[in-house]
Amino acid sequence: MDELGETRSRFLALYDHLKHDLMHDADIEFTEEMRLRVEEILDYNVPRGKLNRGLAVIETCKALKGDELSEEQFFLASVLGWCLEWLQACLLVLDDIMDNSQTRRGRICWYRRPKVGLNAINHGILLKTHTHRIFRRYFREKPYYLELTELCDEVGYQTSLGQMLDLVITHEGKNDLSKYTMQVYRRIVIYKTSYYSFYLPVACALLLSGEELGKYNGIKEILIEMGVYFQVQDDYLDCFGDPEVAGKIGTDIEDYKCSWLIIQALKLADDDKKQILYENYGKSDPISVKKVKSLYQELDIQGIFSKYEAESYEKLLAAIEAQSSSVMQEILKALLEKIYQRKK
């Protein structure tokens, strides 16, 4: 097993430990039925993803230390990493309800499971509150506890605003597709994706390593741009990716999403093609979806994406190599390589 595989294995091994902590919380009078339900919620939603955010905390801590982590350091980095995976699970459970999604991570969405439905709203909130319980148990006596909790609360707030903006713009777009612009798109993506998916794992690792976040504003901007690039990839895969590989069926066209693809199409389309988009975008019937996808192909959106991806990679790489810290260069390059030309 290579080093990354060993790290992932050790990280996964901690999941059951944290789950046990939550299900046997001395402050809560759990019934057996409650425990079984909590276990079902957790097992279905928390450990099933790529675990990129959680593992990024550990890998960043390793790079900052410049050596192998001690058992305690690895444990705390893993606990913090799992808190981010819990947060990710919360956001996905709720996001799937709002987007009326069908599948997630290769399986039916949690809210579509028998006897779940809109109870999933409560489950999503429960997943978020679990992060606070874990924080308090393992980090309350640490000097960085307050800054860590404030950081996570701030990013949670930013992500919620991004989701709200996404829903507001989608509602407005149903009346006027011209409201879908790159400026609006970037604002949604930065708040909804960049902060929690890219900045948060690295910032958490910096605090855990005793660093001051104020010294690293330059890398924050790079991580935010990396998040935008990541979301553009996500939009592309939603339309052109293989659902078997991606683990979900794309619904951005049906859901009238302010997607990078529709913005590019609106830029390139003549009046006749725009009329096709206005008449078919946001409709769930297969014929309308096919018309939109056919128009995307006619406008060579796939080729435009390939060019965008290559240019984004070069720009991010140049920004990373301009950093004075070789350690931060290593951390940022590792994150970039992990997502470059991804298929899921």
Side-chain angles (χ1 to χ4, degrees):
M1 185 185 295
D2 61 18
E3 185 179 351
L4 186 58
E6 183 182 351
T7 298
R8 183 184 179 89
S9 180
R10 289 175 69 190
F11 180 63
L12 279 167
L14 185 61
Y15 167 73
D16 285 330
H17 177 89
L18 295 175
K19 180 175 74 172
H20 182 273
D21 283 351
L22 291 166
M23 291 169 56
H24 296 83
D25 190 327
D27 293 334
I28 305 296
E29 294 183 11
F30 275 102
T31 64
E32 188 59 26
E33 184 179 34
M34 288 167 66
R35 283 199 180 95
L36 289 172
R37 190 54 161 170
V38 168
E39 183 172 35
E40 185 182 9
I41 294 166
L42 295 181
D43 286 349
Y44 198 89
N45 294 292
V46 177
R48 302 288 181 175
K50 296 185 287 291
L51 308 178
N52 283 344
R53 294 161 187 82
L55 291 170
V57 177
I58 301 171
E59 294 303 323
T60 303
C61 283
K62 281 184 179 180
L64 289 167
K65 188 171 184 293
D67 199 358
E68 279 301 306
L69 301 177
S70 68
E71 283 297 320
E72 181 184 8
Q73 289 169 334
F74 188 94
F75 177 79
L76 290 176
S78 296
V79 170
L80 194 45
W82 274 116
C83 284
L84 302 196
E85 292 299 331
W86 247 266
L87 174 61
Q88 165 78 339
C90 155
L91 295 171
L92 295 184
V93 165
L94 298 178
D95 191 61
D96 285 344
I97 298 169
M98 288 181 274
D99 289 349
N100 196 34
S101 298
Q102 300 291 325
T103 57
R104 171 71 67 180
R105 294 170 171 172
R107 301 187 300 171
I108 187 170
C109 291
W110 174 248
Y111 80 99
R112 290 186 175 274
R113 295 266 295 173
K115 300 181 181 179
V116 177
L118 294 183
N119 291 331
I121 297 170
N122 169 257
H123 303 158
I125 295 169
L126 183 66
L127 289 164
K128 177 63 170 68
T129 59
H130 280 168
T131 65
H132 295 286
R133 306 297 284 189
I134 298 170
F135 268 19
R136 190 172 70 175
R137 182 180 181 95
Y138 290 102
F139 299 106
R140 194 174 190 177
E141 304 303 322
K142 303 297 181 184
Y144 48 77
Y145 175 68
L146 178 60
E147 195 171 1
L148 185 62
T149 53
E150 287 182 344
L151 168 68
C152 291
D153 284 344
E154 178 72 8
V155 171
Y157 177 54
Q158 290 166 328
T159 306
S160 298
L161 288 175
Q163 177 65 39
M164 183 187 73
L165 182 59
D166 188 13
L167 295 169
V168 168
I169 294 301
T170 298
H171 177 73
E172 291 181 356
K174 289 180 179 179
N175 300 316
D176 184 5
L177 267 180
S178 68
K179 290 186 180 292
Y180 287 177
T181 66
M182 275 307 296
Q183 183 181 9
V184 169
Y185 177 79
R186 280 182 58 84
R187 189 178 298 121
I188 293 171
V189 170
I190 287 170
Y191 279 98
K192 186 179 176 181
T193 303
S194 291
Y195 281 117
Y196 99 90
S197 291
F198 288 86
Y199 175 62
L200 184 58
V202 175
C204 282
L206 287 168
L207 289 177
L208 198 61
S209 302
E211 298 287 341
E212 295 179 19
L213 295 184
K215 294 179 180 178
Y216 294 93
N217 287 331
I219 69 151
K220 183 177 182 179
E221 296 308 312
I222 293 172
L223 290 164
I224 286 171
E225 290 304 319
M226 209 178 287
V228 174
Y229 164 50
F230 178 87
Q231 185 60 54
V232 172
Q233 288 177 312
D234 228 38
D235 292 355
Y236 178 82
L237 292 172
D238 184 275
C239 181
F240 294 113
D242 182 351
E244 292 296 320
V245 176
K248 61 181 179 180
I249 298 170
T251 59
D252 282 358
I253 293 172
E254 295 93 321
D255 294 341
Y256 228 107
K257 282 293 181 179
C258 181
S259 159
W260 184 84
L261 280 72
I262 187 66
I263 293 169
Q264 302 307 310
L266 288 167
K267 279 185 194 174
L268 297 166
D270 58 23
D271 289 343
D272 290 340
K273 290 182 174 64
K274 281 182 181 176
Q275 189 60 37
I276 293 172
L277 291 172
Y278 273 90
E279 290 174 357
N280 294 280
Y281 198 73
K283 293 183 178 178
S284 57
D285 65 281
I287 294 174
S288 292
V289 173
K290 186 177 181 180
K291 285 181 180 179
V292 173
K293 287 188 176 182
S294 294
L295 187 53
Y296 283 171
Q297 291 173 327
E298 190 178 335
L299 294 170
D300 192 27
I301 298 298
Q302 289 156 297
I304 293 166
F305 169 77
S306 295
K307 183 181 178 184
Y308 166 84
E309 181 160 52
E311 290 175 350
S312 296
Y313 179 81
E314 292 302 323
K315 285 179 184 177
L316 285 165
L317 197 57
I320 291 168
E321 291 179 344
Q323 296 299 303
S324 58
S325 167
S326 59
V327 172
M328 289 313 306
Q329 285 191 32
E330 177 192 341
I331 290 166
L332 295 171
K333 282 181 179 179
L335 288 172
L336 180 58
E337 293 301 331
K338 191 171 285 187
I339 63 170
Y340 180 51
Q341 295 187 328
R342 68 189 179 95
K343 302 301 180 188
K344 63 177 182 178

